[in-house]
Amino acid sequence: MWQATPAELGLRGRSSRQFKCTAEHLVARRDGGRDTCGNIVAACLYCNRLRHARKMPPTPEVYVTHVRKRVDRGGWHVAFAIFE
């Protein structure tokens, strides 16, 4: 994830936007989630949008397990070699 500019990761162009750092609400605001430290984590824009676009977004506990499995395999964004 980048915070100020995609150049932080050596990225350029439109595709780099999806890796911008965002605040992910573990329990979405639309579902009663609050703007508290315990409910907000850092996530790239791509993951933030993808998780909440599902019909039934996974619970925070299920999503943490999913994230840890992907990271343990050596990467997160399998389509992008920079993260592998």
Side-chain angles (χ1 to χ4, degrees), residues 4-75:
T5 173
E8 294 170 17
L9 297 177
L11 300 173
R12 295 179 293 158
R14 296 177 73 198
S15 64
S16 65
R17 289 183 201 158
Q18 63 190 342
F19 298 113
K20 184 173 184 178
C21 185
T22 65
E24 162 97 24
H25 287 80
L26 297 173
V27 176
R29 286 185 285 187
R30 69 176 180 229
D31 297 328
R34 313 251 326 175
D35 291 336
T36 61
C37 291
N39 191 44
I40 297 175
V41 296
C44 67
L45 182 62
Y46 174 80
C47 294
N48 195 334
R49 287 182 176 167
L50 188 66
R51 177 173 174 244
H52 291 291
R54 297 178 183 184
K55 286 184 181 181
M56 292 292 295
T59 65
E61 296 79 19
V62 169
Y63 202 65
V64 164
T65 301
H66 172 70
V67 168
R68 287 185 179 149
K69 284 181 183 176
R70 296 286 300 264
V71 171
D72 287 345
R73 287 195 321 230

